[in-house]
Amino acid sequence: MLDANLKTQLQAYLEKVTRPIEMVASLDDSAASNELLELLRTIESLSDKITLSTHGTDARKPSFALTTPGQSIHLRFAGIPLGHEFTSLVLALLQVGGHPSKAAPELLEQVKNLQGSYKFETYFSLSCQNCPDVVQALNLAAVLNPAIEHVAIDGALFQDEVEQRQVLSVPQVFLNGEPFASGRMDLEQIVAKLDTGAAARDADKLKAKAPFDVLVVGGGPAGAAAAIYAARKGIRTGVAAERFGGQVLDTMAIENFISVPETEGPKLAAALQQHVQAYDVDIMNLQRAEKLVPAGADGLIEVRFANGATLKSKTVVVATGARWRQMNVPGENEYRNKGVAYCPHCDGPLFKGKRVAVIGGGNSGVEAAIDLAGIVSHVTLLEFDGQLRADAVLQRALFSLPNVTVITSAQTTEVTGDGQKVNGLVYKDRRNGETQRIELEGIFVQIGLLPNSEWLKDTVQLSPRGEIEIDARGQTSVPGVFAAGDVTTVPYKQIVIAMGEGSKAALSAFDHLIRSSAPAQSKAA
């Protein structure tokens, strides 16, 4: 199950364990239980501090708990944590074994001080790149606080539960039996939801900060590049981001980032944050900007945030990126995460053997249809235009699949459901105006991006598509406010382009600072 190289790496990690680890497995006669038992026996053989018991009595089989003598730790994996979740397993072993987390000390203390009783259940899929963040955060919380329990559940292996609880997207988190959250979250975000006073305390901290020379709003590739280039100039730099990493966190495979043949979004996002943290940059996460106020008499631009915080800066670089564009048809919001999904890598395994549709015939839509065709019973791809817009090589792969139907000139007009989950969609044939209905269980929307610029509508000049209009230097219509990346009018929304634009915007902001602070030259006598 684990090749020799992976065993060697895992053994090296396990040398960091400082206290005994007990793995207690609950098994039955299934093939999955035998596979899990093989994995656990391999792990046991790699460290003399790890023991395995197969006498677990948990109702979920196969599953296993991780604990240590003398500690009240309630942490369990239901399923076989390989794929993207293998890292979650390794981290859980280390943390249960006493190896300290690298999370911020104040955040760890906040988790330890949470009062109450918290029983978390997280449904994941092994192909989901968003799930490990949630699983790892809640596992760590369970290690730190005995009042917190966490079970990470492979939705593909426990289909009955998935059906019963109507889990149609991952990661899906339940707290004390009730829905708590869906989608990527880190420990800081989870604690913010649990600790209701955290937002107000955070806002007070931000209000007390001295003005920045450059304040970057957004933490994706453009924002990270802007922060690095500004900090390298030795000026006071801050980054306020709703989630550091931005849309890159939701990207599976990245194969066009120059000099890096292949990587994954979460890995790149982590590298971006590490690079920014190598400089003297004040990173303020979980901050959603709501209003920008141009510079007044004091020469400072003001940015106001959803939690009531306010930051001031001499210059601002807006790099708030973009998000998945919605269809904006009846039923879409009602059935979001109940059959309407936006990430085929994450949620595809939950639709095994079912009928799904993909909306969009560009590269993203065709790639999604190809991936889903290997999981579901049938894929219907609907494209608004009269022909697909994806690369020719992708189209050839798509049309070679026997369980894919392609419908062009199709305008989706409605998502239908039974009140609990999706059961179909309605589309109009744009060639003859006729309305058609398709019965299915899932809809994956892949129709491009929408700029995150609504908060600037009455302040900065925007294009008809909502993008921030900038010049060749990244300057917006407001003096001292620059912009970069997917939120702007720059064509071709690509990571490498966003990084270049972020760097340029920071250099332009620095140049603006120099020019605006230079003393006026006296006139010749």
Side-chain angles (χ1 to χ4, degrees), residues 9 24 41 126 194 202 303 328 371 407 465 490 501 507:
Q9 292 181 34
V24 182
R41 282 175 172 166
L126 295 178
L194 298 175
D202 197 29
V303 180
N328 292 320
D371 290 343
I407 304 175
R465 297 181 62 181
V490 169
E501 290 293 312
L507 293 173

Side-chain angles (χ1 to χ4, degrees), residues 242-307:
E242 188 167 357
R243 58 170 188 163
F244 201 97
Q247 196 186 22
V248 168
L249 290 166
D250 302 325
T251 305
M252 183 64 174
I254 299 172
E255 300 175 346
N256 57 357
F257 187 62
I258 311 306
S259 83
V260 181
E262 184 177 354
T263 186
E264 295 176 354
K267 290 181 180 179
L268 179 58
L272 288 174
Q273 185 162 356
Q274 289 172 5
H275 197 173
V276 173
Q277 288 172 335
Y279 293 91
D280 187 15
V281 176
D282 189 347
I283 299 178
M284 297 155 282
N285 209 7
L286 307 186
Q287 304 301 324
R288 180 165 58 86
E290 285 199 336
K291 187 176 181 60
L292 184 144
V293 181
D298 60 358
L300 296 175
I301 301 162
E302 185 177 298
V303 180
R304 299 173 185 172
F305 298 89
N307 62 359

Side-chain angles (χ1 to χ4, degrees), residues 37-116:
L37 181 59
E38 180 186 349
L39 173 63
L40 298 181
R41 282 175 172 166
T42 299
I43 294 172
E44 182 186 31
S45 70
L46 298 177
S47 173
D48 57 7
K49 286 188 170 66
I50 299 178
T51 57
L52 170 63
S53 167
T54 58
H55 301 300
T57 58
D58 192 81
R60 290 189 180 98
K61 297 180 176 65
S63 70
F64 65 100
L66 295 178
T67 188
T68 188
Q71 299 287 326
S72 182
I73 295 175
H74 309 283
L75 187 162
R76 177 177 295 274
F77 286 94
I80 308 166
L82 295 174
H84 284 292
E85 291 303 335
F86 184 69
T87 301
S88 300
L89 171 59
V90 175
L91 285 174
L93 288 166
L94 291 175
Q95 290 159 2
V96 171
H99 188 68
S101 168
K102 294 181 180 179
E106 58 270 21
L107 178 59
L108 299 178
E109 196 63 29
Q110 194 177 359
V111 174
K112 292 176 183 177
N113 292 332
L114 287 173
Q115 302 296 314

Side-chain angles (χ1 to χ4, degrees), residues 327 357-361 365 380-383 412 425 443-447:
M327 297 181 291
V358 172
I359 312 299
T380 302
L381 186 147
L382 292 92
E383 163 58 33
T412 304
L425 68 77
I443 301 170
F444 290 84
V445 183
Q446 303 281 291
I447 55 174

